[in-house]
């Protein structure tokens, strides 16, 4: 009870610091793509988007498993659609992840000191890679939270239906979280040999939940006429699956009489040229990951004799294997970009947490605390290198001419435009062929300043070369780097 209260107090303090930092960060492409659909839904525009990739003649649609967006709809209805309100959801999710890790430790029968809890909170909130993950407006941490609670239910095994239910939610939150779950189950089966029968039963329950979740998500996509586009988009999360799809889709298309050319084009565009060995070793060079792994390994080896006679020994070997092998296995079956790094950071946090409680050596305690503090300081220093969103916010507040208009805009003005315009289109991902003819304004940011500016300038140039349209600048902010142009018809 005392540890839980201490965790909540520290986490709320960290959340306050995070919120003050998030007010300075400019919106970016992924954030807008995931926020746009729930924003439209709250505004009464249905499950639509003007900020998602088009896939093969399909209308633009949110082709990611929809749970995060559905949660955002509920969140926005309660806390409104301001920048802080929308971004704060991931902070709540991060707090729940830490609570889930403490829950796992409780079910494992571990004693928890306030020092251990403090180390966990600091690493969770202030490690630079974790700060990137909860600040970037993506749904990945929702999958992480559900996975943590799924694992805690698997350990407790109090209710088999909860494992099925959480597996359904896991699939609905993101395909990569499900892949991580099955990697963990495979490694557990290979390493935790005394629990193999139990692991097999748990795996069966997880498979049932995953299949049910996949059926529900596919039904949702089919009801919106985007089932094939969703499946193609799902394939694009795995370089291995994309390679197989390039071979199998033409055969399937011929059999079903479906033109797969444009789907194949999307897959080809998403295929990376980065060699697999380069993708695999990217995480192994991250300072926070390497530092925590080295510290955990050093303390583990120095305490190995004492650990061998405890139930923790095999569990810690399992955690070490997970931390080392997940980047390799994720790259083989899919991808492992920076917003998936929670898959190795959460188990390494558990490693450090357990070792901090187990070791009686003052030297080892000192090493764990010192490295944790150094990583916290490093993370806080990195977080000060932010963009100043306030200039954009102040400028957009003056642009009353945009109210209830159709606007083509960059991602950086997303939150302010949603307050003003009738419809705002983001050409970095929204296909120009779907734009209405009655665009009223175009907002330009400096070339190369953010994703999608090339498409914006192409559209702007297209208007100026038209015989019936031209643009006139009506507002400019040199500090924010934004220019607003009115589109007018010429005789």
């Amino acid at each position: 009870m005392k540890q839980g209260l201490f965790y909540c107090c520290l986490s709320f303090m960290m959340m306050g610091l995070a919120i003050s930092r998030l007010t300075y960060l400019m919106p970016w492409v992924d954030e807008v793509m995931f926020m746009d659909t729930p924003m439209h839904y709250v505004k009464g525009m249905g499950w639509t988007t003007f900020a998602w990739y088009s896939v093969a003649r399909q209308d633009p649609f949110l082709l990611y498993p929809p749970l995060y967006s559905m949660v955002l709809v509920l969140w926005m209805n309660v806390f409104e659609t301001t920048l802080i309100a929308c971004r704060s959801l991931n902070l709540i999710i991060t707090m729940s992840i830490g609570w889930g890790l403490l829950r796992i430790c409780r079910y494992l029968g571990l004693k928890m000191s306030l020092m251990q809890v403090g180390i966990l909170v600091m690493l969770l909130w202030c490690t630079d890679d974790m700060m990137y993950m909860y600040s970037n407006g993506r749904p990945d941490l929702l999958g992480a939270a559900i996975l943590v609670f799924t694992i805690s239910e698997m350990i407790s095994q109090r209710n088999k239906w909860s494992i099925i239910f959480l597996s359904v939610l896991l699939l609905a939150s993101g395909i990569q979280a499900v892949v991580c779950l099955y990697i963990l189950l495979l490694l557990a089966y290979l390493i935790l040999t005394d629990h193999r029968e139990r692991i097999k039963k748990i795996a069966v329950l997880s498979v049932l939940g995953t299949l049910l979740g996949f059926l529900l998500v596919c039904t949702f996509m089919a009801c919106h006429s985007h089932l094939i586009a969703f499946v193609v988009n799902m394939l694009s999360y795995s370089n291995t699956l994309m390679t197989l799809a390039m071979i199998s889709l033409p055969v399937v298309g011929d059999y079903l009489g479906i033109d797969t050319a444009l789907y194949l084009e999307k897959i080809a565009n998403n295929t990376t040229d980065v060699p697999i060995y380069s993708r695999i070793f990217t995480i192994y060079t991250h300072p926070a990951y390497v530092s925590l792994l080295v510290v955990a390994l050093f303390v583990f080896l120095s305490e190995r004799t004492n650990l061998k006679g405890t139930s923790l020994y095999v569990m810690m070997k399992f955690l070490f294997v997970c931390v080392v092998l997940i980047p390799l296995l994720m790259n083989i079956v899919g991808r492992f970009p920076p917003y998936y790094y929670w898959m190795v950071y959460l188990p390494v946090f558990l490693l450090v947490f357990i070792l901090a409680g187990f070791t009686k050596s003052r030297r080892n305690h000192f090493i764990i605390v010192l490295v944790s503090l150094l990583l916290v300081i490093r993370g806080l220093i990195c977080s000060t290198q932010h963009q100043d969103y306030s200039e954009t916010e102040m400028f957009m507040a003056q642009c009353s001419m945009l109210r209830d208009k159709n606007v083509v805009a960059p991602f950086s003005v997303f939150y302010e435009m949603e307050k003003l315009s009738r419809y705002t289109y983001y050409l970095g991902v929204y296909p120009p062929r779907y734009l209405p003819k009655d665009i009223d304004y175009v907002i330009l940011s400096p070339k190369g300043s953010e994703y999608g500016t090339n498409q914006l300038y192409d559209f702007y140039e297209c208007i100026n070369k038209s015989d019936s349209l031209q643009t006139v600048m009506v507002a400019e902010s040199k500090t924010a780097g934004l220019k607003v142009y009115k589109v007018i018809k010429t005789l």
Side-chain angles (χ1 to χ4, degrees):
M1 181 67 181
K2 183 166 60 175
Q3 288 85 352
L5 181 61
F6 184 61
Y7 172 78
C8 290
C9 291
L10 276 182
S11 292
F12 279 121
M13 289 173 58
M14 294 296 104
M15 196 181 300
L17 290 174
I19 286 176
S20 66
R21 186 174 65 256
L22 292 183
T23 58
Y24 292 99
L25 296 176
M26 300 290 283
W28 72 302
V29 54
D30 281 27
E31 177 177 6
V32 174
M33 287 169 65
F34 286 109
M35 292 288 179
D36 195 52
T37 296
M39 191 85 76
H40 280 201
Y41 195 86
V42 171
K43 291 167 67 175
M45 297 165 59
W47 203 260
T48 60
T49 180
F50 299 147
W52 191 264
Y53 292 101
S54 170
V55 181
R57 299 194 183 99
Q58 301 280 353
D59 293 334
F61 189 77
L62 181 60
L63 294 170
Y64 199 86
L67 183 61
Y68 181 74
S69 296
M70 290 177 174
V71 173
L72 268 174
V73 168
L74 299 176
W75 188 262
M76 290 176 180
N77 273 315
V78 175
F79 298 103
E80 299 184 344
T81 58
T82 63
L83 177 146
I84 291 302
C86 294
R87 288 178 168 175
S88 60
L89 175 60
N90 261 348
L91 304 183
I92 299 296
I93 292 172
T94 301
M95 185 174 177
S96 72
I97 289 172
W99 186 265
L101 293 176
L102 293 177
R103 196 166 179 251
I104 288 174
C105 294
R106 194 178 302 118
Y107 287 147
L108 289 173
L110 300 175
K111 293 182 179 180
M112 296 180 285
S113 67
L114 295 183
M115 180 198 73
Q116 286 173 276
V117 175
I119 290 173
L120 177 64
V121 170
M122 294 301 171
L123 292 177
L124 185 65
W125 286 95
C126 299
T127 308
D128 57 345
D129 291 315
M130 286 300 301
M131 294 172 83
Y132 165 75
M133 283 181 271
Y134 68 65
S135 301
N136 69 16
R138 285 181 51 91
D140 308 286
L141 288 184
L142 178 61
I146 296 172
L147 180 57
V148 167
F149 281 94
T150 303
I151 292 170
S152 71
E153 286 300 307
M154 289 176 174
I155 294 171
S156 69
Q157 263 195 323
R158 295 182 303 176
N159 186 346
K160 65 180 181 181
W161 296 107
S162 64
I163 296 176
I164 295 175
F165 175 69
L166 286 168
S167 297
V168 171
L169 296 183
L170 194 65
L171 188 286
S173 69
I175 305 298
Q176 72 282 353
V178 177
V179 176
C180 184
L181 172 63
Y182 288 121
I183 288 176
L184 292 174
L185 288 173
L186 173 63
L187 295 176
Y189 183 81
L190 295 174
I191 296 169
L192 307 177
T193 53
D194 293 340
H195 302 279
R196 282 184 172 176
E197 287 303 315
R198 184 178 175 185
I199 292 169
K200 284 195 286 187
K201 292 177 182 178
I202 289 171
V204 170
L205 295 174
S206 297
V207 169
L208 288 174
T210 301
L211 291 175
L212 180 57
F214 185 69
L215 178 63
L216 291 173
V217 172
C218 285
T219 301
F220 176 85
M221 295 295 172
C223 289
H224 291 86
S225 303
H226 286 84
L227 177 58
I228 296 176
F230 166 67
V231 173
V232 171
N233 195 66
M234 183 180 68
L235 293 174
S236 70
Y237 291 107
S238 167
N239 292 297
T240 304
L241 290 178
M242 282 193 288
T243 302
L244 294 174
M246 292 292 286
I247 300 170
S248 59
L249 265 183
V251 178
V252 174
D254 290 342
Y255 180 77
L256 298 176
I258 299 173
D259 182 8
T260 60
L262 290 176
Y263 295 108
L264 290 169
E265 181 183 344
K266 176 178 173 57
I267 292 174
N269 289 337
N270 285 345
T271 303
T272 178
D273 294 328
V274 180
I276 187 169
Y277 66 84
S278 179
R279 289 187 278 115
I280 288 172
F281 281 100
T282 299
I283 179 65
Y284 297 121
T285 60
H286 276 241
Y289 168 82
V290 173
S291 300
L292 290 170
L293 184 57
V294 169
V295 166
L297 186 60
F298 175 81
V299 176
F300 175 77
L301 292 176
S302 66
E303 302 280 354
R304 188 178 180 185
T305 304
N306 298 328
L307 277 167
K308 270 191 173 180
T310 70
S311 59
L312 290 177
Y313 184 68
V314 177
M315 178 57 65
M316 296 191 71
K317 285 203 302 183
F318 168 68
L319 288 173
F320 271 114
V321 171
C322 292
V323 172
V324 173
L325 289 187
I326 281 177
L328 171 66
L329 296 175
M330 281 298 298
N331 272 301
I332 290 174
V333 301
R335 294 185 299 159
F336 199 64
Y339 31 82
Y340 295 177
Y341 285 178
W342 58 265
M343 296 180 189
V344 290
Y345 276 101
L346 299 186
V348 85
F349 291 165
L350 272 181
L351 270 173
V352 173
F353 180 92
I354 295 170
L355 287 167
F358 178 84
T359 183
K360 300 296 186 292
S361 166
R362 289 186 177 180
R363 178 198 63 186
N364 289 342
H365 272 138
F366 176 77
I367 291 172
I368 290 172
V369 173
L370 176 63
V371 172
S372 298
L373 286 175
L374 289 175
L375 290 178
V376 167
I377 293 170
R378 180 178 183 273
L380 293 175
I381 291 174
C382 291
S383 70
T384 60
Q385 300 171 4
H386 54 241
Q387 300 164 304
D388 192 357
Y389 181 68
S390 60
E391 295 291 343
T392 297
E393 189 176 20
M394 286 188 293
F395 172 65
M396 295 307 298
Q398 302 167 11
C399 296
S400 57
M401 78 287 292
L402 301 173
R403 189 169 301 279
D404 298 325
K405 302 297 183 181
N406 293 342
V407 184
V408 172
F411 298 102
S412 56
V413 299
F414 171 74
Y415 289 98
E416 309 312 313
M417 286 308 307
E418 292 303 321
K419 301 175 189 175
L420 291 169
S421 70
R422 180 171 54 195
Y423 299 126
T424 306
Y425 303 89
Y426 304 95
L427 291 192
V429 290
Y430 190 85
R433 65 180 178 275
Y434 290 118
L435 287 175
K437 294 181 179 179
D438 55 340
I439 294 296
D440 300 301
Y441 290 89
V442 178
I443 302 177
L444 296 180
S445 56
K447 274 191 175 181
S449 61
E450 58 180 289
Y451 186 90
T453 51
N454 288 341
Q455 290 89 330
L456 263 176
Y457 277 87
D458 287 345
F459 177 72
Y460 170 77
E461 293 297 332
C462 183
I463 290 175
N464 286 336
K465 291 177 182 177
S466 170
D467 294 330
S468 57
L469 299 171
Q470 68 179 32
T471 60
V472 177
M473 189 168 72
V474 293
E476 179 182 14
S477 170
K478 293 183 178 179
T479 52
L482 297 170
K483 297 178 181 179
V484 181
Y485 292 88
K486 182 176 176 58
V487 179
I488 59 175
K489 291 184 178 180
T490 57
L491 297 178

